Amino acid sequence: MSPLCILRALVIFWSDQCSRMLANSCLRRVYHLWVAALVFFGPLLQYYVNPRTIFANHRNFFNVKFVQSAWGWTCLLLGGFILLTAYISTGSILSTLRHLSRLVVGGVVWVGSSHLFLLVEDVTGSCFQPVPEGRLLLLPDLADKCSCEGQGFRWRGYDVSGHTFMLTYCCLTIAEEVAVFRRFLERGKPAGVPLRMVFLLNATLLALWNFMLLCTVVYFHEYSHKVVGAALGTLCWHLTYRWWYRSRWSPGRPGHGLFHKSLDAQKID
C-alpha cells in the first residue's frame, strides 16, 4: 500500500471519529460547562505547574502567533469549512453566503468587545507613578489612559481579559459549527480528502484553543478579569447561537437548510 493510500485512510478514519465525537448530543449540551470549568478551576493548577515553563511567558510562540490572532485563525479555517459544506450541500451561493455571515457577526462581536473592554479600563482606571520600593503614587490630574501613558506613567483599571473572552467564544463557535459534519457524512454528501482535512484542521484548532485557554487562566491575568471575560464570551455565544440564530431573520443555525428536512428533524436536540 502506497503512503498516499495510508494517509488517505488515516484522514478518513480520524475525521469519522472526530465527527462522531463533536456531534455527540451530550458533549454539545455540556461543552460550555467544560469551558466554564476550565476558567473557574484552571487557576488552581498554578500551584502544581512549573512557573518557568515556556507557556508562562506571554511571548511564547503559540501566544504570539495564534492567541493574539485567535479570531483570524478561526475565520480562516472555519470559513473554509462552512464554505465547502454549505456549497456542496446546496449549490447555492446565496445560501452559502448566509451561513458565512455568522463569521461576520463573530467579527462584529470581536471588534465591539475589544472597544468595550478598553472603555471599561479607561472609565474605571486611575493614573499612577511608580516610586521606590515598588509602590505606586496616584496622579489624579491625569484622568485618561492616553495622557497618562503618554507621559510614561501607568494606568490601572479593570482590565477584562480579552484573550479569555476570545478563546471562550472561539471554542464555543467552532464546536457549534463543525458538529454538522456528522450529518453531512450521514446524508451521503461528497466528502473528499480536502474537505476532511479542513474539518480535521478545525478540530485541531479547537483542541489548541482549549489548551491555550487553560494556559491563559493558569499563567495570566487576575482571576476576576478571566471569569468576567469568559462569562461575556459565553453570553455572546448564547445570544447568537442559542437565541438569535434560531429566529427567522438571522444567518440561521449551523446546518439549517443544508439537509433533507425529514431526516434532519430526527437529529434536532
Side-chain angles (χ1 to χ4, degrees), residues 161-192:
S161 175
H163 283 174
T164 305
F165 170 87
M166 202 68 251
L167 288 172
T168 298
Y169 187 73
C170 286
C171 284
L172 296 171
T173 296
I174 295 175
E176 286 282 350
E177 295 287 352
V178 300
V180 305
F181 193 58
R182 189 68 225 163
R183 282 184 286 167
F184 183 91
L185 296 176
E186 290 175 347
R187 268 62 173 184
K189 303 292 183 180

Side-chain angles (χ1 to χ4, degrees), residues 10-23:
L10 288 174
V11 168
I12 293 174
F13 172 78
W14 284 112
S15 60
D16 284 342
Q17 298 305 311
C18 288
S19 67
R20 287 192 181 94
M21 181 180 70
L22 292 172

Side-chain angles (χ1 to χ4, degrees), residues 93-115:
I93 295 178
L94 289 178
S95 178
T96 302
L97 290 176
R98 182 185 181 187
H99 283 280
L100 284 172
S101 67
R102 288 193 296 272
L103 297 181
V104 177
V105 174
V108 172
V109 169
W110 169 58
V111 173
S113 65
S114 299
H115 285 81

